[in-house]
Amino acid sequence: MMLAPPKWEFTAGNPAAIALFGARDEREFVAAAAWSLSPEYQPDGELSSVKARQMIEAAMESGSYSFEWTHKKFNGEEFFATVILTRMIYRGQPLLQATVRNITDLKRAEAEMTERLHLATLVAEVGRWLLGLRACVKAYSNARRS
């Protein structure tokens, strides 16, 4: 995907980008406003339009910038992505080349592992509590026998 100033509109999209966003073809893809392929807000609560400009500025200043982003397909379905923006000069004009990778499955797996870790921690706490209770009961029984 290529984006060009001053409005940072798409100027090109390869077959992988077109398929990722669910566009019919490159013409439909480049006709879309870049902001229309993101939800109004990112998961951190920041407006996508504001945050996107910050990411673009960072890439233009440093030459390349990588970040996580929530995108939206043409059908409205949202997906998690990693984005790498790379500054380029083409025919004397600055452009940004964007590499977008869908990481939705990775995010789901991370959430599942976090939940499993949380449950394992709870089970361990209950087990420790039961061992402590067992020790108390044993001590009480021994004290009553004496």
Side-chain angles (χ1 to χ4, degrees):
M1 300 168 31
M2 302 295 286
L3 297 109
K7 295 182 181 179
W8 296 106
E9 296 170 331
F10 296 122
T11 60
N14 66 17
I18 293 164
L20 178 64
F21 287 94
R24 287 188 305 268
D25 53 29
E26 187 178 27
R27 183 176 297 171
E28 179 182 42
F29 182 75
V30 298
W35 320 117
S36 71
L37 297 178
S38 297
E40 184 177 4
Y41 291 93
Q42 288 297 301
D44 64 2
E46 194 165 352
L47 281 167
S48 291
S49 58
V50 172
K51 192 168 188 170
R53 292 186 202 293
Q54 294 169 348
M55 303 298 108
I56 288 168
E57 288 173 13
M60 292 303 289
E61 287 178 21
S62 67
S64 183
Y65 196 70
S66 176
F67 53 95
E68 288 190 2
W69 193 259
T70 300
H71 269 296
K72 188 170 69 173
K73 296 182 180 191
F74 277 78
N75 68 6
E77 176 188 344
E78 293 183 7
F79 65 96
F80 294 107
T82 55
V83 177
I84 302 170
L85 297 177
T86 304
R87 183 183 63 219
M88 302 174 70
I89 303 295
Y90 180 72
R91 295 184 179 171
Q93 299 297 316
L95 297 173
L96 283 176
Q97 192 273 327
T99 301
V100 179
R101 185 173 148 242
N102 186 335
I103 60 166
T104 300
D105 290 342
L106 177 63
K107 286 289 196 179
R108 285 185 187 135
E110 284 177 356
E112 185 178 316
M113 292 302 292
T114 299
E115 179 63 22
R116 286 182 182 188
L117 179 60
H118 177 69
L119 290 174
T121 302
L122 289 175
V123 167
E125 288 294 320
V126 168
R128 198 167 63 196
W129 180 80
L130 288 174
L131 285 174
L133 180 61
R134 184 176 172 198
C136 287
V137 168
K138 188 175 182 180
Y140 177 76
S141 292
N142 289 341
R144 287 192 69 201
R145 285 186 202 148
S146 309

